[in-house]
Amino acid sequence: MKRLLTGNEAIAEGVIESGVEVITGYPGTPSSEVILNLKSMQNKADFRPQHIEWSINEKVALEIAAGAAWAGKRALVTMKMSGLNVAADSLVSIAYSGCRGGLVIFVADDPGAHAGMAEQDSRHYARLMIIPMLDLASQQEGLDYMKLAFELSEKIGGPIFLRSTTDISHVASDVEIGNRLNLEKREIFLEKDITRYTKAASSWCIAQHKDAINRLKQALDYTDNYLSEHGIRVNEMSLDEKIKEGVIYSGAVEGNFKEAIKRYNLKLSWLKIGLIHPLPEERIKRFLEKVERVLILEELDPFIETEVRRIASQMNKSVDIWGKFNKDFLPWVGGYSFREIKKGLETFLGKVFESEQDSRIRLKAKEIEVKRTTSFCVGCPHRGAYFALNKAIKKLKYKKDEIIITGDIGCTILGMNKPFESCWTEIAMGASIGLAQGFKWAGIEKPVIATIGDSTFFHAGIPPLINAIYQKVPLTVIILDNGWTAMTGFEENPGTLAFDNKEDTKRVDIREICQGCGVEDLKVIDPYKPEEAINTIIKAIKYPGVSVVLSRQECALQAKRRKVNFAKYRVDIKKCTGCRVCLNSVGCPAMVFHPAEEKGRPYMEITMDCFGCGICKFDCPTGAIEEIKDGK
Amino acid sequence: MENNFYITGVGGQGVVRLGQILALYGLEKGKKVRFYKQVGMAQRGGPVHCEVRIGEVFGSRIPPLSADIVVVMELAEGLKALEFVKPGGMVILNRKKIYPLDLMAYPDQYPPEEEIIQLFKEVGAKIFWIEADRITQEINLPLAENIIILGVIANFLSLDKSILLNLLEKNVLGSFLTKNLEAFERGFQWAEEMK
Ligand code: SF4
Ligand code: SF4
């Protein structure tokens, strides 16, 4: 049976078909939908894993999955590429120790940086950590390779990377559903072996290192000729002795490469590589023996190309290799659209397949297009928090460009956009609080402020906060606690219970964490109440030590979903002068401005989308914005 | 046979829903399908576009100059589709402008309609204007512009109506179903008159 599935949905189906029992992860675009889907199918679709959770961060998620795999279960952990950096410390050690039950690490990269963040190429981790890596070239492979990954992990006794990219994870295609493995509930396996599961003696470490390297070879032997249940070969070669030109490719470029072959009726030999670590060296040699010129297509770094060049240099035949090391040829950054692949092939083959559109048209379109910047959603509590923060800074008589505000990952970073333009930096989870301390030690005497969301604080914000307290660094941390990990798809986190009643978890209160860390100046504000919020932030900024302001109000979209209602607002058109002060100071998408041309005089309208946060009322000079009381 | 649909607009216009129904249609027909959606953040008014490819297709995105049908739900967003229009391809322009917050007070900074049309003419598009919101007002279902356009496409491409109606039933909220079916029919008729 075929279904229309995104790559992440296909991967989730592969997880179900593999009978995985423990599933953990931390949300991050473009990886989140795997667990979001599994959670939504839990107990439906005859899918009853022992446990699925959104963990506090990727490192903890990985450790939980590894523990389960060491006890003999099949376990999956998911994350985006930046999350892999967080999990890396534990993962290296786990890879050396290996595992008993299948352990798969799903990581999604984002060539083109669609979701923001450093455009890192996570394939390098495979080499660094000595972990075999399967790289997806299609949605179908998401399902097939997930199943293969578990098989392979148990076969070799070590963890396996499954890597995807945005173009696979977020695109849907027709995917053939497979058979579910009929796995008996697995016995718990107890193995006390300190030579394998600790690193306390150098001889054990050396032995583990050797084991890890041996597992690579086994992985290659198992996969090189592997044929999946839907007829996909992991490493596949199409060789025509008469053709002198070949292409070696891997990953998401497959779609556009095959598109070009069909469209322009190209005659090329090709080698597709699905297991990108370890590379199928013998196969690559066989391929290079038969061609004279070879083009290497892969997104981001020349990961495969470097190896192909090394392999070619050891052969006693010269092959003309084309790739990212050629000057001004294939780019090292961004995803490869059809245009890049076509251009690459055209240059490689020395002919133009199809002429392009007059570039003038694209330039003209770019020039006149409408920019739509992202801002906070209607009723978003972060709007109130940044609104109050900006007002507080102004009341303290500071200029905007002299107060450093370090931002952090998540929705809260939108405070850098109009109309607030508050945040200066965004680095990595929790980094706002560490960076702020550095700015202080550099000698900045004016206040330095860090803003961070609840989930980001749980994830990596606590150690830098403790550090600031211990080192007595005067700074203000504003924690924007909306109760959800909202940006990546409204996942829950340890603080979510404040809003959403569930019985199988216990809420961890950020206020108590701050108290426990030794924060002496700790205040809670309601971002929907500007007056109090502004005054509290002023006091916090003036405080001579570490001050924390906890801004609390549920994510408006989640609150709406849960049918939480506030009285809406409207504009009294008789009082409104159309000055747009409200629009410029809060920029809420529920507002529509009507210029004078429409009805003879300008005025503001608040549409039915209003959530009733009430912030826009604060600045209106004529008092035209009013609450709708009892629906009147 | 290959059909490439490029659909563009802003959040809240049902761009993705329209694409999803077309993609599911391709699946029902037993064809290969690729469905790409660019949604950005879940908020009103942000740019949204999706691409549906049905037939002997491989890449997830429509190659330049290859969109058989371009649907522009919001006029200025149509500019982003220009490079994909197949010469002689059909472009359905919905006469609708949605201003972002910082342009609301300066409507004269919105790209002039003539310039947009001129560009579509230059790429060789066959242009069809529709005022979908006029029809939605008539049937009193403001959010059904996308379904009206689905009706238009169904007619222009002679798609299998019963499959589409079935998909609408499965994918549209129950209480609005009748009205959405009406929207579909109105779009279908509108296209009939345009022929
Ligand atoms: S009260 Fe004002 S700022 Fe708040 S949601 Fe309504 S229109 Fe937007
Ligand atoms: S601030 Fe008040 S007077 Fe000015 S446009 Fe907004 S509602 Fe009208």
Side-chain angles (χ1 to χ4, degrees), chain A residues 378-379 383 569 586 588 590-591 606 609-617:
Chain A
V378 174
R383 174 176 288 107
Y569 283 73
V586 305
C588 175
M591 297 174 165
I606 289 181
D609 291 339
C610 170
F611 186 63
C613 74
I615 306 188
C616 53
K617 179 175 184 257

Side-chain angles (χ1 to χ4, degrees), chain A residues 167 171-174 255 259 262-263 339 357 360 362 364 368 370 372 375 580 587 589 591 593 609, chain B residues 2 33-35 43-44 53 56 58-60 66 74 77 82-83 98 101 104-106 115 122-123:
Chain A
D167 203 36
V171 171
S173 81
D174 47 309
E259 189 84 35
K262 184 203 85 175
R263 213 177 156 94
R339 182 179 284 124
Q357 193 177 58
R360 224 176 23 88
R362 200 145 70 108
K364 177 75 185 167
I368 61 174
V370 170
R372 298 175 198 267
S375 73
R580 301 195 306 280
M591 297 174 165
F593 178 70
D609 291 339
Chain B
E2 174 185 323
V33 181
R34 295 287 182 274
F35 177 35
Q43 61 148 12
R44 209 184 72 121
R53 315 193 62 210
E56 258 315 286
F58 296 93
S60 59
S66 304
E74 199 281 345
E77 288 306 306
L82 279 165
E83 55 178 305
I98 298 174
L101 289 178
M104 277 181 192
Y106 315 97
E115 282 191 32
E122 277 180 44
V123 300

Side-chain angles (χ1 to χ4, degrees), chain A residues 43-332:
Chain A
N43 301 325
K44 290 181 235 163
D46 216 10
F47 170 54
R48 290 188 185 75
Q50 208 140 324
H51 183 63
I52 308 186
E53 70 166 47
W54 285 121
S55 312
I56 196 162
N57 63 33
E58 294 85 356
K59 182 170 179 290
V60 174
L62 165 71
E63 289 150 2
I64 296 168
W70 285 359
K73 302 284 178 175
R74 283 192 162 186
L76 168 77
V77 56
T78 78
M79 61 197 70
K80 73 182 290 180
M81 71 286 182
S82 342
L84 186 49
N85 304 330
V86 176
D89 189 10
S90 294
L91 189 49
V92 177
S93 282
I94 290 165
Y96 279 40
S97 291
C99 58
R100 210 30 89 158
L103 175 61
V104 175
I105 297 107
F106 168 64
V107 59
D109 278 7
D110 188 21
H114 306 276
M117 290 320 290
E119 199 189 21
Q120 77 181 36
D121 188 336
S122 297
R123 294 179 299 171
H124 296 293
Y125 273 115
R127 207 176 275 158
L128 177 99
M129 295 173 166
I130 323 181
I131 299 178
M133 182 181 266
L134 291 160
D135 196 11
L136 298 183
S138 69
Q139 287 73 23
Q140 184 71 56
E141 286 183 359
L143 192 160
D144 290 22
Y145 282 12
M146 181 52 90
K147 292 169 90 170
L148 164 62
F150 275 103
E151 250 175 78
L152 183 58
S153 173
E154 281 166 5
K155 189 89 195 161
I156 68 170
I160 305 293
F161 270 126
L162 183 71
R163 174 186 181 258
S164 177
T165 49
T166 311
D167 203 36
I168 302 295
S169 279
H170 280 180
V171 171
S173 81
D174 47 309
V175 172
E176 192 76 50
I177 301 303
N179 296 319
R180 292 197 182 187
L181 297 184
N182 219 342
L183 294 170
E184 302 280 302
K185 266 245 178 290
R186 290 161 171 245
E187 292 293 309
I188 290 177
F189 183 88
L190 285 185
E191 179 184 41
K192 183 172 179 186
D193 180 356
I194 54 172
T195 66
R196 182 169 179 195
Y197 296 111
T198 78
K199 311 265 182 271
S202 75
S203 60
W204 303 345
C205 295
I206 299 287
Q208 288 174 25
H209 194 173
K210 277 189 193 149
D211 287 346
I213 292 171
N214 284 336
R215 282 194 284 272
L216 286 184
K217 192 184 162 326
Q218 294 169 30
L220 180 60
D221 291 345
Y222 191 75
T223 46
D224 200 23
N225 287 307
Y226 185 89
L227 183 64
S228 82
E229 85 187 280
H230 302 111
I232 293 174
R233 288 195 184 281
V234 173
N235 296 329
E236 189 178 4
M237 197 143 71
S238 163
L239 261 181
D240 183 330
E241 307 274 336
K242 294 190 289 295
I243 301 169
K244 295 293 163 227
E245 277 98 11
V247 171
I248 298 179
Y249 74 87
S250 158
V253 298
E254 176 170 276
N256 286 328
F257 173 58
K258 293 209 162 160
E259 189 84 35
I261 289 199
K262 184 203 85 175
R263 213 177 156 94
Y264 306 122
N265 199 14
L266 304 178
K267 300 272 177 283
L268 286 164
S269 289
W270 51 261
L271 166 61
K272 170 236 167 132
I273 300 177
L275 184 75
I276 57 116
H277 188 63
L279 286 174
E281 202 156 326
E282 289 310 314
R283 197 183 272 275
I284 292 173
K285 267 191 206 142
R286 264 184 281 142
F287 188 77
L288 294 178
E289 290 293 350
K290 297 282 189 275
V291 293
E292 278 168 17
R293 303 174 61 235
V294 62
L295 169 71
I296 294 152
L297 295 176
E298 59 186 321
E299 285 175 322
L300 302 178
D301 297 342
F303 181 88
I304 291 173
E305 182 182 342
T306 309
E307 284 298 288
V308 171
R309 286 185 188 272
R310 174 185 65 76
I311 294 166
S313 74
Q314 292 167 344
M315 294 171 42
N316 40 21
K317 170 191 177 216
S318 89
V319 186
D320 186 14
I321 298 172
W322 289 56
K324 293 170 198 263
F325 286 114
N326 299 51
K327 210 165 163 288
D328 300 326
F329 186 40
L330 295 169
W332 292 45

